[in-house]
Amino acid sequence: MSISGKRVVRAGAVQRRGSNRMSPKALYARPMALRQLYTDAGTLMRRGQREAAAAYQQNSR
């Protein structure tokens, strides 16, 4: 195998390693942030449904 062939293999390994830059802490924090986001969205949706039901009741009288 030529020297240039080894360099290409080595460069490919470095690229693969370099593309995965997320730390374990970031990988753990992301689902927690998503859970908070979905919880907030669910709270807003339920609040909107309650307000819509109250408005419907007021308008139906």
Side-chain angles (χ1 to χ4, degrees), residues 28-52:
Y28 176 75
R30 179 170 285 183
M32 300 299 276
L34 283 175
R35 181 185 300 172
Q36 186 63 45
L37 180 69
Y38 285 126
T39 301
D40 292 345
T43 302
L44 288 173
M45 288 169 63
R46 283 191 295 276
R47 185 186 305 159
Q49 287 172 346
R50 280 196 302 267
E51 290 175 1

Side-chain angles (χ1 to χ4, degrees), residues 12-25:
V14 169
Q15 275 184 335
R16 246 181 284 129
R17 222 178 295 133
S19 65
N20 186 16
R21 288 188 178 150
M22 293 194 66
S23 68
K25 191 178 283 187

Side-chain angles (χ1 to χ4, degrees), residues 27 46 61:
L27 287 170
R46 283 191 295 276
R61 290 180 188 165

